[in-house]
Amino acid sequence: MARRALVAGNWKMNGTLGDLAEIEAIRDGLAPHGPEAVICPPATLVASAAEAARGSALAIGGQDCHAAAQGAHTGDIAAEMLADAGATHVILGHSERRAGHGETDAAVAAKVAAAQRAGLTAILCVGETSGEREAGQARAVVESQLSGSLPLGADAARLVVAYEPVWAIGSGATPSEGEIAEMHAALRAGLVARFGMGGAQVRLLYGGSVKPANAAAIFALDEVDGGLIGGASLRATDFLAILAAAR
Ligand code: PGA
């Protein structure tokens, strides 16, 4: 069965109520039978974005969740709360959380389990730093992040994996097409080893400086099923152009 393309937008810590107009414009610009489209706004906008997207093909996601369902965790958000607010997806293990909040593979795995328990699809991010790439360790790092960030009992049907080289995020630099294809092949092999046939159906996204100008070439690569888009997801025109490249 062919995998349906998926393009997810990661708004990071950007956006206030006034920016819901961009989400409405994305909703209204989606092509019938196009790729699956997800916008992950900051937590403060999840409920209103989900309301705006209700009844449309646009899905809304969170950018992180706690591993627990509730409790004394000031400032944190449970996966169940995201689901209650109307989210269907959540980005987990983004390099900005791994680096800025000290999230280990084990912590990310617990969050993936929490997300799936709440019925959310986890968009699990992995990717090497420039130092790791220069040291020839990129593939080993990414393979070990993948296996370490998947919890026991993970559900392949509620999993998307995004390969995001840390050095390509927000930098304008991207790996070569060969480097992306090589890493996606390694991730696919890892998913099939872990899940068997189920692993062949997991969508593999590329993320890191995807723009309207380079999206089509990247999305055409083997085992690239779409993208995780940061900066270029903030404006509907750019995000819709990237979606069009994924068809
Ligand atoms: P970028 O971010 O598209 O701005 O490089 C991608 C990401 O961090 O998910």
Side-chain angles (χ1 to χ4, degrees):
M1 206 172 65
R3 294 180 299 268
R4 184 177 173 207
L6 187 159
V7 179
N10 174 10
W11 276 22
K12 309 190 179 185
M13 199 171 72
N14 298 291
T16 51
L17 284 172
D19 298 300
L20 283 175
E22 295 298 325
I23 289 181
E24 290 161 3
I26 292 166
R27 172 199 68 196
D28 295 342
L30 293 180
H33 314 297
E36 199 173 330
V38 186
I39 289 288
C40 302
T44 48
L45 293 184
V46 166
S48 39
E51 184 58 35
R54 189 204 297 263
S56 79
L58 180 64
I60 301 299
Q63 299 176 8
D64 178 47
C65 70
H66 196 276
Q70 76 276 309
H73 303 290
T74 302
D76 282 312
I77 296 172
E80 284 79 359
M81 294 170 176
L82 289 173
D84 182 58
T88 51
H89 294 69
V90 60
I91 297 168
L92 293 171
H94 191 282
S95 63
E96 287 154 15
R97 304 247 7 132
R98 291 179 187 263
H101 297 263
E103 291 190 9
T104 60
D105 286 345
V108 175
K111 292 178 178 210
V112 171
Q116 295 191 335
R117 175 189 71 217
L120 301 177
T121 293
I123 303 174
L124 168 64
C125 302
V126 294
E128 82 285 357
T129 63
S130 58
E132 289 162 345
R133 179 161 283 276
E134 279 154 24
Q137 294 166 351
R139 188 166 158 175
V141 164
V142 164
E143 286 173 337
S144 109
Q145 282 181 342
L146 178 70
S147 60
S149 305
L150 288 172
L152 270 178
D155 178 4
R158 289 192 196 279
L159 178 68
V160 172
V161 174
Y163 168 53
E164 296 207 308
V166 178
W167 51 273
I169 294 174
S171 67
T174 56
S176 69
E177 293 177 6
E179 286 165 341
I180 296 174
E182 184 198 351
M183 198 64 85
H184 279 238
L187 287 167
R188 177 66 63 204
L191 288 166
V192 170
R194 172 67 192 260
F195 295 110
M197 291 294 286
Q201 290 306 316
V202 173
R203 264 83 58 86
L204 274 177
L205 311 184
Y206 168 78
S209 297
V210 178
K211 309 287 177 210
N214 63 12
I218 292 172
F219 294 164
L221 297 171
D222 267 2
E223 303 292 352
V224 176
D225 302 313
L228 180 55
I229 319 300
S233 70
L234 293 169
R235 293 287 156 258
T237 43
D238 288 344
F239 190 68
L240 289 169
I242 292 171
L243 276 166
R247 268 186 283 152

